[in-house]
Amino acid sequence: MNTADENTWRTAIVLQGGGAMGAYEYGVLKALYETRSKRLGRPFRPAVVAGISIGAITAAVLVGADQDPIETLGEVWAEDFTVSGSFPEVPPAFFPTMVPEFHQYLAMFLAMFGNRGMYQVDATNFLAPWAMTSVYSTSPLTSTLARHVNFDKLNASDTHLVLGAIDVKTGMFTAFDNRTPGKPIHAENVVASGSLPVVFPMTRIHDQCYWDGGVLWNTPLSPAINALELTENGSRDIKRELIVVELFPVETDKVPTDLKGILTRLVQLLFSSKLKLDASLFDKVDSYITLSDKIDEALKDSDQRAILNDPGYQQLRQHRKIDALKVITCNLPDEMSNPADFSRSTLEYRIKKGYEEALSRGIDNPAHLTRPPQL
């Protein structure tokens, strides 16, 4: 494929929520941006980015970073989100097989007391524990966003950004996007998308309160597809690519046999994307669009052209094909799948795996159609 052909593609990226599992997303994105920029001979820029929770934080950095977005994301994970304590090294000669595990578990323990770039224990809980509504405060995340995201740039960007949250009162999914007149995205919208109940406080924006969008819908496919269809004013002359990063696989190779494994599997099922149904839906919609093209051609000189003005037919004609679907699914060992594990060694492992698996799934080529094996 030559550069001219690649310039006809428009890409939408969908990022799930999943706490520290977001390091895997960063690895995937690093591979995507590096390979596409090299092929294009210019910086790669997606047409649409949609994210939930940690995916929303990542999406905000991608669209609003003043400097290179991938380098900025690397700084966020290495300097802001990594939990590591100033504890003495254990001589490997004493416990040669336990040193990595020791540092990992110690970092996980320290994470219970806070993450300098994301959350900290809410001190007011000690003063009035009977009134507590969450364990942590998200004020560190607000500071992180202020350092790394230019919201003026984000709201003026050519990239369509969509973030998802849940309205606590109505229980309805709410999409924040940088295309809504009079409602720009600010830091509180990003924080709202990651306000996981009990762990973090609900986020109030004006008169409404929001929780983490992943509580109801952890994969914002529909908003991403709708935005992708509208790209270039709905032009039929471009090709559309959808890239989904799955942090929680629907299927597993084994049935859990202990409490830790059961809890891990429960989280996977609660926050998985159920992409089996969505992949078949893409095929159906594509076939309908092809059929509508044939109907248009068949009736262009017919006295039955009035049918083309039917509201239902007009609505169908507004849809556009998804020419390529790439689903990059995170399948890590159980010991590396804890969303609360922000230890340096685990995050680095996830980033590396995300990078490698994205390359193995053909992330460099927009025309390369890939779907999970179960689809």
Side-chain angles (χ1 to χ4, degrees):
M1 179 184 294
N2 58 43
T3 303
D5 291 333
E6 295 201 27
N7 284 330
T8 66
W9 285 87
R10 299 296 181 270
T11 302
I13 302 171
V14 179
L15 303 170
Q16 284 189 340
M21 297 295 292
Y24 180 91
E25 285 179 332
Y26 166 57
V28 172
L29 293 168
K30 189 171 186 289
L32 172 66
Y33 275 64
E34 285 182 0
T35 58
R36 294 292 177 88
S37 296
K38 184 177 180 179
R39 291 175 69 105
L40 291 169
R42 57 176 171 78
F44 168 76
R45 181 184 300 171
V48 180
V49 183
I52 298 286
S53 198
I54 192 66
I57 298 170
T58 299
V61 174
L62 285 181
V63 181
D66 275 322
Q67 306 301 322
D68 181 273
I70 296 302
E71 290 183 5
T72 303
L73 268 179
E75 292 175 11
V76 170
W77 280 104
E79 299 175 13
D80 294 288
F81 290 169
T82 297
V83 174
S84 57
S86 55
F87 41 86
E89 291 288 336
V90 178
F94 290 99
F95 304 102
T97 62
M98 293 180 60
V99 173
E101 290 81 2
F102 172 79
H103 288 288
Q104 179 186 13
Y105 287 124
L106 185 52
M108 290 172 63
F109 173 76
L110 292 173
M112 294 175 59
F113 297 94
N115 181 309
R116 59 187 174 186
M118 190 178 294
Y119 59 89
Q120 63 187 22
V121 174
D122 189 343
T124 62
N125 291 336
F126 297 105
L127 301 176
W130 58 86
M132 69 182 293
T133 58
S134 66
V135 178
Y136 301 102
S137 162
T138 51
S139 57
L141 177 56
T142 302
S143 299
T144 297
L145 292 169
R147 289 195 304 274
H148 296 290
V149 179
N150 180 336
F151 284 93
D152 288 335
K153 178 182 178 181
L154 178 150
N155 286 297
S157 176
D158 292 335
T159 298
H160 192 157
L161 175 66
V162 184
L163 311 178
I166 301 298
D167 187 310
V168 177
K169 281 189 176 181
T170 66
M172 299 299 292
F173 183 87
T174 300
F176 306 120
D177 72 72
N178 61 351
R179 292 290 191 276
T180 303
K183 293 185 177 180
I185 289 178
H186 296 297
E188 58 262 32
N189 300 100
V190 183
V191 175
S193 183
S195 296
L196 187 66
V198 181
V199 179
F200 303 132
M202 64 184 71
T203 299
R204 180 180 293 275
I205 301 176
H206 303 305
D207 296 327
Q208 294 170 291
C209 295
Y210 296 95
W211 272 334
D212 189 312
V215 170
L216 183 63
W217 192 22
N218 200 34
T219 313
L221 279 173
S222 291
I225 293 171
N226 292 340
L228 188 58
E229 287 183 325
L230 294 173
T231 298
E232 306 289 343
N233 295 316
S235 172
R236 292 176 177 270
D237 297 327
I238 62 172
K239 294 184 177 181
R240 293 171 170 83
E241 172 193 34
L242 181 65
I243 298 175
V244 182
V245 185
E246 268 196 314
L247 296 180
F248 299 101
V250 178
E251 296 187 3
T252 184
D253 294 332
K254 59 182 179 180
V255 175
T257 57
D258 56 24
L259 184 58
K260 180 181 177 182
I262 289 171
L263 291 174
T264 297
R265 184 61 182 148
L266 176 61
V267 170
Q268 287 177 341
L269 292 177
L270 287 174
F271 293 100
S272 63
S273 62
K274 318 300 188 296
L275 276 172
K276 282 187 177 181
L277 294 176
D278 295 296
S280 61
L281 178 61
F282 292 147
D283 292 335
K284 286 182 180 179
V285 171
D286 283 358
S287 68
Y288 295 155
I289 295 171
T290 299
L291 177 60
S292 70
D293 289 340
K294 293 179 179 178
I295 292 173
D296 264 17
E297 181 65 25
L299 297 182
K300 68 179 182 179
D301 297 322
S302 168
D303 56 3
Q304 300 295 319
R305 277 195 63 82
I307 195 173
L308 304 182
N309 295 322
D310 180 88
Y313 184 79
Q314 288 294 317
Q315 185 175 13
L316 174 61
R317 292 292 291 166
Q318 291 176 6
H319 290 293
R320 298 293 180 265
K321 286 186 178 183
I322 302 300
D323 299 285
L325 168 63
K326 296 180 178 65
V327 183
I328 312 298
T329 303
C330 178
N331 282 295
L332 302 181
D334 287 348
E335 63 271 17
M336 293 294 179
S337 299
N338 184 348
D341 183 359
F342 285 89
S343 63
R344 184 176 301 279
S345 60
T346 302
L347 294 184
E348 290 176 349
Y349 174 87
R350 291 170 181 158
I351 293 169
K352 182 173 182 290
K353 292 295 289 185
Y355 187 91
E356 292 173 346
E357 291 179 4
L359 292 179
S360 71
R361 298 299 300 277
I363 200 73
D364 63 310
N365 189 345
H368 187 181
L369 179 68
T370 66
R371 294 182 177 178
Q374 67 265 30
L375 299 181

